[in-house]
Amino acid sequence: MAEFSGEPRGEGRRVVVVASRFNESITVPLAEGAVKTLVARGVAFDDVDVVWVPGAWELPVAVRRALATGKYDAAVVVGAVIRGGTPHFEFVAGEAARGIMEASRDFEVPVTMGLLTTDDMAQAEARAGGAHGNKGEDAALAALEVLDVFDRAFLHDEGEEDDA
């Protein structure tokens, strides 16, 4: 039985970070965390693009447009949808998540989700560099790890050794 796992290695990768401006006090640290992590893991700074959109609703279409260019190996999506007193939260959070997943499936490119869906601002702050870390960093690591596992599991002919 072959078993594959990846490492978050960014050398030679080109990544787009698609970020929502809404809830900017949360999303800016998420985007900065994603970029910092990508560069720390070997992605050249000039090979990271950051695309800002107005809100979470616009994230899926922006990811699709970026991936349609064919110039990105992965996309990292960050944003924050914070529950309010109306059902708006469920619609935006659910449809944004579905659109992000569909982009990954349709383009067969890792699209990782650092889109926070929280009950309140305190929970969002805790996940944007607070007590629960930075989910933008986590999403960047996940994108690089999936790219590496794809390379290890699917790029080599059966029986070929991988010396990485």
Side-chain angles (χ1 to χ4, degrees):
M1 170 183 86
E3 185 173 309
F4 303 94
S5 62
E7 297 292 327
R9 298 185 304 180
E11 294 82 8
R13 305 293 191 187
R14 186 156 176 80
V15 181
V16 63
V17 176
V18 181
S20 165
R21 282 193 319 267
F22 198 78
N23 292 313
E24 194 171 46
S25 65
I26 302 300
T27 63
V28 167
L30 292 172
E32 289 172 346
V35 171
K36 176 188 80 169
T37 300
L38 292 167
V39 171
R41 292 301 182 135
V43 179
F45 183 77
D46 289 340
D47 287 336
V48 178
D49 292 335
V50 179
V51 176
W52 289 95
V53 297
W57 189 259
E58 294 79 24
L59 291 169
V61 72
V63 168
R64 292 185 73 82
R65 182 56 72 97
L67 295 180
T69 68
K71 66 185 202 179
Y72 299 106
D73 299 303
V76 177
V77 178
V78 297
V81 183
I82 301 170
R83 188 179 305 278
T86 69
H88 186 253
F89 171 89
E90 283 80 13
F91 293 114
V92 172
E95 293 302 321
R98 180 181 19 211
I100 291 164
M101 179 275 305
E102 288 175 350
S104 187
R105 180 198 64 210
D106 293 348
F107 287 91
E108 296 184 353
V109 170
V111 180
T112 55
M113 193 166 96
L115 174 62
L116 304 181
T117 54
T118 64
D119 288 325
D120 55 44
M121 186 61 82
Q123 289 177 346
E125 290 167 347
R127 288 158 179 79
H132 294 288
N134 184 309
K135 299 307 173 186
E137 293 175 8
D138 294 349
L141 287 171
L144 295 177
E145 183 176 334
V146 172
L147 285 170
D148 191 51
V149 80
F150 281 5
D151 286 351
R152 292 170 189 252
F154 308 121
L155 285 185
H156 300 290
D157 293 327
E158 196 170 313
E160 186 178 333
E161 292 293 317
D162 183 5
D163 55 343

